[in-house]
Amino acid sequence: MRFDDIWIAGTGGALGDLVPVERAIEDGSYDPEVAESTGVVSISQSTVAPPEMAVTAGRQAIKEAAECGAEVGPDTYYLHSHSHFQGLDMWPAACWIGRELIGTKLQGMPVAVSAASNGSLASLEIAAGALVARPELPNALITIADRFAPPTDRWYLSPGMVFGDGGAAAVVTRGGGKLRLLSLVSETDTSLEGLSRGDEPFGTFPQIQPDMRKRTREFLASGEVSLREVRTRSADGVRNVVTRALDEAGVAMSGVDWYATPFVGRALYRDSFVRPLAETPRNTLAGLGLTIGHLGPADQLYGLSYLLKEELLQPGSRVLLLGTGMGFTFSAAVLAADGV
């Protein structure tokens, strides 16, 4: 979908301590050959719960947005996304975060966005759509946060990447801001859903440490979809959403200045997010991802916050965001730095 007057007025990010990969290699947590393959040099490791990281990132975004004239208040549309444990079972984390960031009386309902690692773009799509459809909403606040602490094995939770702890936030509004949303499109290939399910039957209690690699092996062994087909369909999904987003934005790939994808390992990044495309922007955030790890659904919004904080965007710079998530979902968005 093309957007004419949807802006990101403020962003925020929160990380833990950056822990060198060598430390995990030395204590036996991570294999040196796997580390060489992924190219990850360090990961973000936090001691605070995800909702607390969401609040930290949210406060930054709210402050920045206020400087652009976008005030977050009780009538702000609020969304929180995560893919992992938030610190308490059967607890509405979004309501607590909303209280901390907005207040005790909200004129709406906090919405939890469950889109696995595609939470940044899913939340942005929902927020933008809500602002287009509901003129009474002044703006929207998005927070995202996850922590992959023990007993979760961040080093081997999913092939080709290492998970880091972090949060991100954005205030989405109309009438101006820092980044203008030009387009955002999504699609889903449910034939790849089994990659994260395998042969496991439905249970009655959550697993402490799901074996995602085992599930992938089981799915491929079933013969329902071959590894070659998985790669082909994944490449098609990436190519389709990127092509559509660029077309709807009226931007050529050669006109994109920055490319932000999920923060995965070096080989997976190349195979999943570079090879499917005939051309990719020269400037990417792949190197940043190798220093902090895959932040679950927070990668893309954290990437935007990083670009703004480090003053890497010039007026008019174009940014291409790519999101993917288990299920299997694909999203792409094009933004213009018209307000920096």
Side-chain angles (χ1 to χ4, degrees):
M1 179 175 179
R2 178 177 176 80
F3 296 92
D4 295 320
D5 186 30
I6 298 296
W7 298 73
I8 293 179
T11 60
L15 295 176
D17 295 329
L18 296 185
V19 179
V21 164
E22 284 80 3
R23 189 177 303 177
I25 295 174
E26 290 172 358
D27 67 21
S29 299
Y30 200 40
D31 184 271
E33 292 185 1
V34 178
E36 177 65 24
S37 173
T38 62
V40 176
V41 297
S42 59
I43 56 98
S44 170
Q45 185 171 309
S46 178
T47 59
V48 302
E52 295 174 300
M53 289 189 283
V55 169
T56 297
R59 286 173 176 159
Q60 296 172 18
I62 291 170
K63 181 180 178 181
E64 286 189 6
E67 295 170 355
C68 291
E71 296 287 344
V72 169
D75 51 352
T76 292
Y77 186 53
Y78 172 54
L79 307 97
H80 177 63
S81 182
H82 63 90
S83 63
H84 203 45
F85 183 57
Q86 294 291 283
L88 290 172
D89 278 323
M90 299 184 69
W91 171 63
C95 289
W96 180 83
I97 301 168
R99 186 192 72 179
E100 294 295 306
L101 292 176
I102 302 173
T104 58
K105 294 291 186 179
L106 309 185
Q107 295 176 16
M109 178 176 60
V111 176
V113 178
S114 178
S117 292
N118 206 1
S120 278
L121 289 178
S123 299
L124 183 57
E125 185 171 16
I126 294 169
L131 291 179
V132 169
R134 298 175 57 186
E136 80 277 10
L137 293 176
N139 48 48
L141 170 64
I142 299 169
T143 62
I144 304 176
D146 268 317
R147 180 176 64 170
F148 301 91
T152 299
D153 185 353
R154 69 171 76 245
W155 304 101
Y156 292 107
L157 183 58
S158 188
M161 66 188 81
V162 180
F163 284 72
D165 307 332
V171 175
V172 186
T173 189
R174 309 181 196 86
K178 295 184 176 182
L179 298 167
R180 182 164 62 96
L181 179 63
L182 302 180
S183 65
L184 198 163
V185 299
S186 297
E187 68 175 46
T188 302
D189 188 340
T190 60
S191 71
L192 304 182
E193 166 274 327
L195 287 167
S196 53
R197 176 175 47 83
D199 290 338
E200 292 184 27
F202 296 123
T204 58
F205 58 90
Q207 290 181 302
I208 294 177
Q209 170 62 24
D211 191 337
M212 304 306 295
R213 293 177 298 168
K214 176 175 177 288
R215 292 180 182 180
T216 297
R217 291 194 300 269
E218 290 173 346
F219 176 71
L220 294 175
S222 73
E224 182 177 340
V225 179
S226 69
L227 179 59
R228 181 176 181 178
E229 288 176 307
V230 168
R231 290 172 174 166
T232 298
R233 293 183 183 188
S234 296
D236 287 345
V238 167
R239 190 180 305 111
N240 290 345
V241 294
V242 167
T243 300
R244 289 171 55 201
L246 290 174
D247 286 347
E248 293 189 13
V251 176
M253 183 67 82
S254 59
V256 175
D257 300 286
W258 284 91
Y259 184 38
T261 73
F263 295 152
V264 298
R266 187 168 48 204
L268 186 58
Y269 170 79
R270 181 181 61 249
D271 293 342
S272 299
F273 309 134
V274 175
R275 285 181 176 170
L277 304 175
E279 179 185 5
T280 55
R282 179 171 54 185
N283 299 316
T284 79
L285 292 180
L288 171 66
L290 298 180
T291 67
I292 62 178
H294 177 45
L295 306 179
D299 289 348
Q300 292 80 6
L301 286 190
Y302 184 86
L304 289 182
S305 177
Y306 176 84
L307 288 173
L308 290 169
K309 180 180 178 182
E310 298 298 321
E311 299 182 345
L312 296 174
L313 299 177
Q314 303 298 319
S317 292
R318 265 47 174 178
V319 181
L320 171 62
L321 302 182
L322 176 66
T324 61
M326 294 184 298
F328 206 92
T329 67
F330 305 87
S331 299
V334 180
L335 300 99
D338 292 345
V340 299

